[in-house]
Amino acid sequence: MKKAGLVTLIVFCVAGAILAQRGRGRRDWGEGSHIVETEGHDLVDEDTVRTAREIASHSTGTPNWTNDPAFARDVFTFVRVLYSRAPQGPDISWSASHWGWITDFPDSDLNLSFRLQQVTSMKTDPEGRVLRLTDPALFDYPWIYMVEPGRLRLRDEEVEPLRKYLLNGGVLWADDFWGQKQWDNLARNIKRALPERDFVDLDMTNQIFHCVFDIKVPMNQLQTPNSRQGVESLNPNSGRYGITWEYYHDDYTREGAKDMHVRAIYDDKGRIMVIATHNCDNGDGWEREGEDDGFFHEFSEKRAYPLGINIIFYLMTH
């Protein structure tokens, strides 16, 4: 085969592999289908799924626990938002997760819920919850979580329910998205619901970092990468040793994902309505806690869990 032909074949093969990888999180199961696939390759029907406990673990298993039936309604519930992904375009990062809302599900939800109950006085729901922003049940829960919102597409019919939810005491946590382009997409979507509000950066003096765990490290030392990169970052023989940021994203600059940010939108009384942990993958810290001892001790134990527990405890007590 001629050299030019060989190069062309290689390019097409690589491109095909990339496209196949991006498409693994959502397959075409027929017109009108809302079937998606977890990272463990279990199929989930977006129209019927209600709890994290319905779906099998794809990591090292999740804990089981029960609460006194008398307090069944007096618990914190990890509520994951089921959202739509934006189509490709110049303002959308092609490297944003192909898994979308189902990233880290269900392991992260259940592991964090268990750890929260384990180290605080809060009781937590052993089932978790999944819902869309248009679900009337949204207003039954004071806290909701949105993962990988770098490719979020807030539908027109979701804007007003989200606005009402946030203005009436609810709080949204956006987590695990990387680079300025993905940040801009989240900010544009949130701006539709809260046009009069802007994000502000929180620094390490904010009480949110000191309410359960007294976190005294610089912000970037709270950065949790995905588990594979996290393991490599701990290996002195790896070319990624010490690199905890995801540097390979489609972004305006190569350094766009290097620095971690915690940003919030406040209401007029100083209550947080939206909090975003940007350039950080807390979900992998919760989801993958049992897969590698080094990853657990450096990232789950020292970063993802203390930060996650602090944020939830602060939000639920302020």
Side-chain angles (χ1 to χ4, degrees):
M1 182 181 293
K2 292 183 179 180
K3 183 176 181 180
L6 178 60
V7 171
T8 301
L9 177 60
I10 291 172
V11 169
F12 274 113
C13 288
V14 171
I18 292 173
L19 289 173
Q21 174 68 13
R22 287 189 215 158
R24 286 173 59 206
R26 183 178 297 272
R27 296 181 181 177
D28 183 7
W29 299 97
E31 186 176 355
S33 173
H34 291 92
I35 302 298
V36 294
E37 186 177 347
T38 70
E39 293 166 76
H41 308 298
D42 288 296
L43 303 184
V44 177
D45 187 335
E46 293 181 321
D47 291 338
T48 61
V49 64
R50 292 292 179 268
T51 72
R53 194 63 70 180
E54 298 169 37
I55 311 303
S57 165
H58 59 264
S59 183
T60 55
T62 54
N64 291 294
W65 69 98
T66 58
N67 293 312
D68 187 325
F71 297 97
R73 297 180 61 85
D74 299 316
V75 295
F76 170 82
T77 301
F78 189 116
V79 178
R80 176 179 290 256
V81 175
L82 193 160
Y83 65 84
S84 300
R85 296 174 70 240
Q88 291 287 7
D91 296 327
I92 301 298
S93 171
W94 59 258
S95 58
S97 172
H98 60 274
W99 298 106
W101 74 267
I102 207 167
T103 301
D104 305 332
F105 182 74
D107 300 67
S108 67
D109 310 35
L110 298 174
N111 286 342
L112 177 59
S113 296
F114 177 74
R115 296 296 188 185
L116 183 65
Q117 177 159 291
Q118 188 179 48
V119 302
T120 74
S121 59
M122 295 174 65
K123 299 299 181 183
T124 60
D125 186 341
E127 303 289 326
R129 188 73 163 84
V130 181
L131 53 71
R132 296 182 185 274
L133 294 173
T134 52
D135 190 327
L138 172 69
F139 294 88
D140 294 336
Y141 302 99
W143 180 93
I144 55 177
Y145 178 79
M146 187 177 287
V147 70
E148 290 279 6
R151 198 171 173 178
L152 165 69
R153 178 173 67 89
L154 199 60
R155 294 180 294 146
D156 292 343
E157 61 269 30
E158 294 173 324
V159 173
E160 190 58 26
L162 178 59
R163 176 176 174 81
K164 288 181 178 179
Y165 173 80
L166 297 174
L167 291 177
N168 282 278
V171 59
L172 164 66
W173 182 0
D175 181 42
D176 188 9
F177 59 121
W178 299 78
Q180 188 64 37
K181 186 177 287 188
Q182 291 189 32
W183 171 265
D184 290 346
N185 182 66
L186 170 72
R188 280 193 304 270
N189 279 273
I190 297 300
K191 197 73 170 175
R192 295 180 62 199
L194 297 172
E196 71 281 9
R197 308 281 174 176
D198 294 301
F199 279 98
V200 297
D201 281 274
L202 306 186
D203 62 31
M204 293 304 298
T205 65
N206 193 285
Q207 187 59 33
I208 208 165
F209 300 107
H210 308 284
C211 57
V212 178
F213 295 94
D214 190 14
I215 303 173
K216 297 180 178 180
V217 299
M219 180 78 72
N220 279 0
Q221 289 185 25
L222 276 179
Q223 188 176 61
T224 296
N226 65 72
S227 58
R228 183 182 298 107
Q229 185 174 333
V231 171
E232 292 183 351
S233 76
L234 299 174
N235 180 4
N237 297 317
S238 169
R240 296 181 180 179
Y241 180 59
I243 298 177
T244 58
W245 63 94
E246 296 186 2
Y247 53 83
Y248 43 79
H249 284 288
D250 167 40
D251 205 12
Y252 311 121
T253 70
R254 186 173 175 81
E255 300 293 301
K258 188 171 184 178
D259 293 322
M260 179 179 167
H261 309 105
V262 179
R263 293 167 174 157
I265 295 177
Y266 289 88
D267 69 8
D268 291 338
K269 296 182 178 180
R271 179 188 67 85
I272 292 177
M273 294 189 287
V274 182
I275 189 164
T277 42
H278 176 235
N279 292 342
C280 185
D281 187 352
N282 291 294
D284 256 27
W286 312 326
E287 172 200 20
R288 306 285 182 176
E289 67 159 61
E291 294 183 6
D292 180 88
D293 191 62
F295 181 81
F296 173 78
H297 288 299
E298 179 58 39
F299 295 108
S300 300
E301 186 178 41
K302 293 182 181 179
R303 306 185 190 205
Y305 277 125
L307 181 58
I309 290 168
N310 270 25
I311 286 176
I312 292 173
F313 188 87
Y314 180 90
L315 295 176
M316 293 300 97
T317 55
H318 290 72

